[in-house]
Amino acid sequence: MNVNAVQLTRDAVVKTLVMQDEAARPMLVLMHGDCKVSTKNLARQIGCKSVEPCKPDVANRHSGFLIGGTSPFGTRKSMPVYVESSILELDRIYINGGRRGFLVGLAPAVLLDVLPAKAVQCALPD
């Protein structure tokens, strides 16, 4: 299906964020396009002291993708993947395919099957 022909809602567009814990261990966080990540809630749920976004050059080193084009599929390093649980309730999501502006539509269950992602609740309205 041509994504240009589909009316996308911001909650169905999923951004891939490269973050790190207090020991600088990288992770991917999948979040609705219209939400921010509560790093405190995320850290609490995954058993870390703190979580913060990686600097762009560090994120690129971990993922192999440029900022704005990060995909959770085919990253340079294997990293844990956390997905906002409400994303899994959607019928279809659109996630970055590895290049800025290149979105791939898929069923959210693919995230659990392929990555495998762990569901968390850490969304804050943007």
Side-chain angles (χ1 to χ4, degrees):
M1 175 187 288
N2 182 349
V3 174
N4 293 331
V6 177
Q7 183 67 17
L8 300 179
T9 59
R10 286 190 69 192
D11 69 326
V13 175
V14 175
K15 55 189 173 186
T16 304
L17 305 167
V18 184
M19 304 189 104
Q20 64 186 15
D21 66 12
E22 70 279 355
R25 290 181 297 244
M27 67 188 76
L28 296 177
V29 180
L30 307 180
M31 182 56 67
H32 295 285
D34 59 351
C35 293
K36 292 189 278 188
V37 174
S38 167
T39 55
K40 286 183 182 182
N41 286 345
L42 178 60
R44 199 173 305 122
Q45 289 178 54
I46 64 172
C48 293
K49 289 183 183 178
S50 66
V51 173
E52 66 181 7
C54 288
K55 292 186 179 350
D57 61 321
V58 175
N60 176 268
R61 221 174 23 249
H62 291 312
S63 70
F65 297 108
L66 296 175
I67 297 299
T70 304
S71 173
F73 305 105
T75 56
R76 180 176 290 152
K77 288 184 178 179
S78 179
M79 297 175 266
V81 180
Y82 301 100
V83 58
E84 173 59 36
S85 62
S86 55
I87 289 171
L88 301 172
E89 298 168 7
L90 298 172
D91 292 329
R92 191 156 191 80
I93 60 169
Y94 297 88
I95 196 159
N96 203 296
R99 208 176 27 179
R100 288 182 183 148
F102 179 62
L103 296 178
V104 177
L106 49 87
V110 171
L111 300 174
L112 300 175
D113 294 340
V114 174
L115 292 176
K118 294 182 180 112
V120 293
Q121 294 178 331
C122 60
L124 292 174
D126 196 9

